[in-house]
Each structure stands twice: as C-alpha cells, then as structure tokens.
Amino acid sequence: MTVLMVAYGALSALVLLWLGVRLARAPGNVPLRTVTSMVACLAVAFPFGLAADHGAVVAGLPPMISRLIQHGVLLLGVYSLVSFFVFSTLDRRSARRRAAWYALPLLIAELVLIVSAARTPPGARTNDHSVPTVALFFITADLYMAIGFAMACVWTRRYARAAAPRVARGLRVASVGLAAIVLANCVFIPAIALRWIGGADSPELVSRAGAAETVIGALAASILLLPGILVFLIGVTYPAAAMRLAATRIWWRHRREYQQLAPLWMALHTEFPDDELQRVPSKRWQDALQLRGTHRRYYRRVVECRDGLVRISPYLDPAPAGDLDHHELAGRLARALASHSAKRPVPSQAMPVALPVGDGLDADVHELVRLSTALNPTGAS
C-alpha cells in the first residue's frame, strides 16, 4: 500500500468525521448532507478497494463483490457531489426535479456494474481488463465518474468567481483536484479498451497491482487520481480549516492578553471587588476547556479593568494623565490605590485614564496591557 493510498484513506476518514459533526449540528442542511455523502462514499470505497486489489475475501464477500461495492459507492459519491451544486444553486423544488433527472444515468450505470460483476467468471481477477465483463465494468464506472467530476469541476470554477475570498480559494483548490480526477478517468478508459481488444498483451505493459491493471492506468492512478482525490478533499476542508485557524489565533491572543492584564486587574479588584462580573454561572473546568470560555473571561477582564480605572481616576494626581508615559501613570495609579485603601477623601472628579490612540477594542486593550506591564514589569501573576 503506497503512501498516497494511506493518505487517501486517512484524510477521507478525518474529513468524514469533521463533516459528520457539522451535519449533526445542522441535519436539515441539504447541501451539507450531499457533500457529507460524497466524502462518506470515498471513505467507504477505500477498504473495499483494498480488499479487491489483493483478491481478499472480506466477511464472505468475494473480491468482485468488493469491487462492485467500491465502485458502486464511488458512483453514488459522484452523484452526491453533483447534487451538492444542484441544491446549493436552485430552490428546493427545482433542485429535487433536477436531481431526479441526474439519478437516471446513475441507476443505469449501477445496473451495468451489477450485471457485469454477476457475469464475471469466478476465477477472474477483479482488474483483468482482458475479461470483457471486467472491462465493461471499469469503462462504465470511469465514464460516469469522468462526466460527473467534469460537471462538478466546471461548476466549482464558476462559483469560485463569485464566492468570498476564503471560500473561493477552497473551491479553486478543489477544482484542481477534480480536474486531475477527470484526466485520470480519461486515461483509464482508452487503456482499458486497449487491454480489452488485446492491444496491451505484452508483459511489460501489464500491471498486476491495484485496479489499474495496465502500466498506463497505474501511472494515471498514482500521478493523477490519488493526488486529485487528496487535493479535492483539501479544497473542501480549506474554508473551514482557515476559519478555524483564524479563530485559534484570536483565541491565543485573547488568552495571552488576559494573562497580561492580570497585574492591573488584581490591583483594581483588590480595591473594588464588587466590580467583578459574575452573572454567567459556569463550571470552572468546562469553562477552561471551551474556546468561548477564554473569550468570555477576556472580555470580562477588560470591562472590569476599565470600570476599576474609572472608579480610581478621582484619586489620581491632577496632572494630565494623557501626557504621561505608562511607567509614570503606573506610579500615579499605585499611589491612587493606596489613597483609596486609606479611605482618604476623593480629591477630584473622574477623568479618562490610559486612553487608546486608535479606535476599537484592540487599541483599548493595547493601552491597558501597557499599563498593566508597567504596573508589574516582572510579568503577569
């Protein structure tokens, strides 16, 4: 078993697991159901294809039946991919009508596969294209897949032009994989036909490995088909993976800034414990494991720091705080906290403290982090 085969099996299983989780959250999403069905067919076909390639009997099923299951579900997967675009672009009623029409070629192809497999001599290898029924089996399957994947490739390129940048990149990557699969199937068909009519009887042109049977087919499988499937799966998962990566970056930044704000928050919380926001009860261990828990604690700490600065600002020295650097402001803040702790009279009214230069929450947090670092240069506690 080659590295590409292992990668195909592992990646299809991982993508299926990921899509299954998404489908469980949105079971009514028809386009998601169809693309999940497509990836499920790729994953299911993998073990049956291995069994057929090695002539193994699995659960009492002879190799040709394993080959039938492999290609039967692959054709169903191609139909699911076509249905994905149909249900993604048309209204529900029109999509169902179009999908019903597209189901007719699928049924015809599946019937040809079943009859060919049933009429194949018991002792024939499942990839022996010199046997007429085996050759017809593979030509039918490859022709259907070539047409179906070609349609999907055209639609993918078309919709990539109007999609959002992240989705468009994923669609373009997927279209490259689909194009490679189509080219592979276009190579398989004449190679099978040549072997069928006896044009590849020379031993050097025959490959006993895998389902390709001819050397030309084996090369197309290793250079075009398997890499094409991998690229297609990568393209399908790219938009969600890129979004998850961006979300992880934000989570990591919020976690880091949450820790950096600890000195400032601790100093203010000691004087104003009633400012702590505890209105959303949650289990501590559950909160720590969830990404949303980090964001919730981060925003809560930012708000509590700002509230504390507003309350301590009347105790700050009357010098304009906006003209101070963060180390000077940290010194004044320490003295103001000491004055509040000593319950001295409020000397003035509230005033702005550590105002951000730019707009937005990020600029505000940046100023708070600088003040917190100046308050405790040794790092967050």
Side-chain angles (χ1 to χ4, degrees):
M1 188 163 51
T2 65
V3 174
L4 286 175
M5 287 290 289
V6 174
Y8 157 46
L11 186 58
S12 60
L14 289 174
V15 175
L16 177 60
L17 178 62
W18 169 70
L19 287 173
V21 172
R22 295 189 62 189
L23 185 60
R25 296 173 179 171
N29 189 327
V30 177
L32 181 59
R33 283 210 306 261
T34 56
V35 74
T36 304
S37 174
M38 161 65 186
V39 177
C41 290
L42 289 176
V44 171
F46 176 72
F48 288 100
L50 285 181
D53 289 345
H54 293 84
V57 176
V58 179
L61 299 176
M64 197 61 201
I65 299 301
S66 294
R67 187 70 76 194
L68 174 62
I69 295 174
Q70 176 199 12
H71 282 77
V73 297
L74 284 178
L75 265 57
L76 181 60
V78 175
Y79 172 77
S80 298
L81 182 60
V82 172
S83 298
F84 166 75
F85 288 101
V86 170
F87 281 96
S88 298
T89 56
L90 301 177
D91 61 87
R92 183 67 63 88
R93 188 173 181 178
S94 300
R96 286 176 176 172
R97 189 183 306 114
R98 185 73 62 86
W101 278 108
Y102 285 151
L104 292 178
L106 172 66
L107 292 177
I108 295 172
E110 295 282 12
L111 286 174
V112 173
L113 295 190
I114 294 172
V115 173
S116 299
R119 299 294 297 272
T120 298
R125 297 195 321 275
T126 64
N127 65 337
D128 189 353
H129 301 152
S130 64
V131 177
T133 53
V134 176
L136 179 61
F137 179 96
F138 277 96
I139 288 176
T140 302
D142 290 334
L143 182 61
Y144 182 89
M145 286 190 283
I147 296 173
F149 281 128
M151 293 171 58
C153 182
V154 172
W155 285 331
T156 301
R157 298 294 299 182
R158 181 185 303 166
Y159 298 134
R161 290 194 284 267
R166 183 182 292 136
V167 176
R169 283 193 292 270
L171 289 175
R172 283 193 288 267
V173 171
S175 70
V176 172
L178 290 172
I181 297 173
V182 172
L183 287 175
N185 284 285
C186 290
V187 172
F188 291 156
I189 294 172
I192 295 169
L194 285 173
R195 175 64 175 149
W196 186 1
I197 63 178
D201 286 331
S202 301
E204 64 272 13
L205 294 180
V206 178
S207 170
R208 302 279 173 163
E213 215 271 328
T214 61
V215 173
I216 296 175
L219 288 174
S222 60
I223 296 175
L224 294 173
L225 180 62
L226 290 176
I229 294 174
L230 295 178
V231 171
F232 168 73
L233 291 173
I234 291 172
V236 168
T237 57
Y238 173 81
M243 185 181 299
R244 179 59 60 189
L245 181 60
T248 302
R249 289 198 191 103
I250 296 174
W251 173 84
W252 181 257
R253 179 167 56 83
H254 283 182
R255 181 178 181 275
R256 185 181 66 250
E257 291 175 344
Y258 171 84
Q259 294 173 340
Q260 291 172 333
L261 287 173
L264 176 62
W265 179 85
M266 184 61 68
L268 294 170
H269 177 70
T270 301
E271 294 301 318
F272 308 108
D274 53 323
D275 283 351
E276 185 175 6
L277 303 175
Q278 292 286 7
R279 299 180 182 178
V280 183
S282 60
K283 297 179 180 179
R284 183 176 296 274
W285 66 268
Q286 203 173 38
D287 197 54
L289 291 177
Q290 293 179 348
L291 295 181
R292 287 176 296 180
T294 297
H295 299 314
R296 182 166 54 245
R297 293 193 302 272
Y298 164 81
Y299 291 120
R300 190 171 63 197
R301 177 158 289 186
V302 171
V303 172
E304 290 171 356
C305 285
R306 270 299 167 197
D307 288 346
L309 287 177
V310 170
R311 294 188 63 176
I312 198 61
S313 63
Y315 290 87
L316 289 171
D317 294 341
D323 296 336
L324 302 175
D325 63 31
H326 290 83
H327 293 284
E328 292 177 305
L329 180 58
R332 292 175 181 267
L333 178 60
R335 292 192 293 272
L337 290 170
S339 298
H340 180 272
S341 180
K343 302 189 181 302
R344 294 173 184 168
V346 179
S348 63
Q349 295 181 342
M351 59 180 176
V353 180
L355 291 179
V357 177
D359 297 327
L361 179 64
D362 290 342
D364 192 20
V365 174
H366 178 69
E367 292 299 316
L368 292 176
V369 167
R370 293 178 65 186
L371 176 58
S372 182
T373 303
L375 195 64
N376 182 17
T378 59
S381 60

